[in-house]
Amino acid sequence: MADLTIDWDYAARVSEGKLDLDWLHSWNHEVGEEIKPSRIGLTMKDIAVGRYGDIPEEAPMRTMAPRGGEREAVMPDMGYTLNKRADVWAENVMDLYEEAVSRQWSATRDIEWSEIPDIDPDLEHALCQVCTVLSEVEMIASDFPAKWMWQINHDYVEAKMFLATQIMDESRHTEVFRKRALAKGAGLGRSRAATEEFLKLILDADNYSEGSALMHLLGEGIVLSLFRAGELLSPSPVEKKIFRLCMQDEARHVAYGTMHLRYALANDPDREGEYHEYLDKGERILAALFTIPEVVEPLMILAAGGEEEAAALGGQAADMLQMRVIEEYLQRCDRAGIDRRSRIQIPGIIGGYDPAEHGVTSEAAMAQATN
Amino acid sequence: MPEFPSGEWFDALAAQANDKADDLAEFGFSNIRLACRINGLPDGDRYFGLRVEGYDVISDGEIDPASWGADCTLEGPAQVWFEMVSNIRENGGADLSHTLNALSLPEIPLRIVSDDPMGRDLFFRYNQTLQEVFDLAAEVPTEMPVTTRPNS
Ligand SMILES: [Fe+2]
Ligand SMILES: [Fe+2]
């Protein structure tokens, strides 16, 4: 432990005007020339130069002291467990942080709450059920980063800062869907245990990268596709704007997850098998989610424009959405450097697919995944 | 009055966007190179390049896609592009079924393509900004092809 005794001699010298000034006269860590801000202002990337911009592969200390400055030889151990760059880094993380700060919005101010039209009660209830599921799942993407954030070594502070923006983003998503469910008086719908199994899998992940692959890449990739589909599902321009603004945020989270997995795998290719196992588990639970009425049917009703229309259309609308979701996810996996095409555990479920044939029931998938 | 599509039209759209820079800045900065591929025109498929760099919207007019280096390409039949621009002009902005995302989500009639999913995802990350920019087509005096005029 550092010496915390009061240095009375120093206090006496300062009172006589005898300053120490060693910190000033021995200043030898200039980063070089004055930094020119880029066209959007002075960014984290702009300042990442000289010894400050030198991001170590392995953090030499577990301290909050900023990179590039001077540290005492012995500093308090902050107890960080993520002390390697590959544990948390993504090549785009500085840009994503800046973008997140720049593109914040307010669920209170930026949504035209007084302009929501009265719509058919079935559509209103379907929308509120979608909002219920979203309001339930969004906050995992605050809780998961929050659980790990303090454990990230301060040398990778940009990753922490990005995760802090994500925590704010997801709070806003939870807020906006909760507000929409309640705005017209219909209220919140039904939650299912199976949904929470996926959330629990993320929260209980053994390590950050496992949870990140499950959440940023798989879970949020699917939510991103769902937000995108929100354009077609929205009964009015108000919901359309909600989905579009959430979609922008979600795309940042997915961009981080994709590039983090890429960075982690590039640094430790031997772990590919582990990631496959995590994603196998997560995909199996998600496959089960696609067979929960409270998840699937409100989307079908909104896409078709009513209960009868949804029944007549059958799985067509859901099929279309699901195929897009899966293909976009597989492409991101390719980009991350992990080929899931031959292992994907989310088959086409609605329309022409017999879940029993593949052993995909909520119970079977849950049992498999949690084993 | 610039004809749609033409390099001049995209230049005029970018100029409109830069006139409204303060409004667009409310949505934050963007960094995207979006190619617009308009298929089946009398002289074949044509590409136009639109960049958003920070808070600046820049038109590169008609482009050669091989050398322009798009992050992603929004492509589809000319008739759908005409309909989208007409819809924006009639309504002062795209209606519910004519937004960039709504038109491209099912991959018909428009689609967003990229060799790189990270490039494609930029279309989602900056979607509100891109929509606001395209909605400004409502304020660009536009010569539409005869086939798209009402009752023609
Ligand atoms: Fe979210
Ligand atoms: Fe998210």
Side-chain angles (χ1 to χ4, degrees), chain A residues 18 25 65 72 101 120 271 286 357:
Chain A
K18 293 176 185 159
H25 296 148
E72 290 193 62
V101 171
D120 175 85
R271 291 189 63 200
L286 279 177
E357 199 179 291

Side-chain angles (χ1 to χ4, degrees), chain B:
Chain B
M1 192 182 302
E3 188 182 86
F4 180 84
S6 63
E8 294 72 36
W9 189 88
F10 279 91
D11 292 350
L13 183 68
Q16 269 297 335
N18 291 323
D19 283 349
K20 299 272 165 49
D22 288 347
D23 294 344
L24 286 174
E26 281 179 27
F27 299 101
F29 70 75
S30 310
N31 272 308
I32 184 170
R33 297 173 69 87
L34 177 72
C36 300
R37 178 179 177 177
I38 302 173
N39 295 337
L41 291 162
D43 36 3
D45 300 349
R46 293 170 69 186
Y47 291 79
F48 300 89
L50 206 56
R51 287 180 278 146
V52 192
E53 292 185 358
Y55 301 103
D56 301 325
V57 180
I58 302 149
S59 159
D60 284 332
E62 190 151 9
I63 54 160
D64 171 6
S67 58
W68 193 67
D71 290 312
C72 53
T73 302
L74 182 64
E75 67 172 36
Q79 200 55 42
V80 178
W81 282 92
F82 295 152
E83 190 187 318
M84 181 180 83
V85 172
S86 300
N87 181 274
I88 288 169
R89 290 172 53 70
E90 279 158 28
N91 298 301
D95 71 9
L96 286 181
S97 50
H98 288 85
T99 60
L100 299 172
N101 188 40
L103 286 169
S104 62
L105 173 69
E107 299 219 300
I108 52 163
L110 298 183
R111 64 186 193 132
I112 187 82
V113 290
S114 175
D115 295 337
D116 180 356
M118 297 295 290
R120 180 203 53 213
D121 287 357
L122 293 179
F123 181 74
F124 311 141
R125 262 161 67 185
Y126 306 125
N127 197 267
Q128 182 75 34
T129 301
L130 293 172
Q131 189 61 56
E132 296 287 333
V133 170
F134 274 88
D135 280 352
L136 289 170
E139 292 166 43
V140 175
T142 302
E143 180 80 27
M144 293 297 280
V146 173
T147 51
T148 65
R149 288 185 187 140
N151 308 319
S152 65

Side-chain angles (χ1 to χ4, degrees), chain A residues 84 86 262-275:
Chain A
K84 288 186 183 154
R262 186 178 175 83
Y263 195 90
L265 271 175
N267 278 275
D268 196 356
D270 293 345
R271 291 189 63 200
E272 187 179 343
E274 276 175 55
Y275 286 105

Side-chain angles (χ1 to χ4, degrees), chain A residues 138 170 173 220 227 250 253:
Chain A
E138 288 294 334
E170 306 298 1
H173 297 177
E220 297 192 281
F227 286 164
E250 218 54 52
H253 311 156

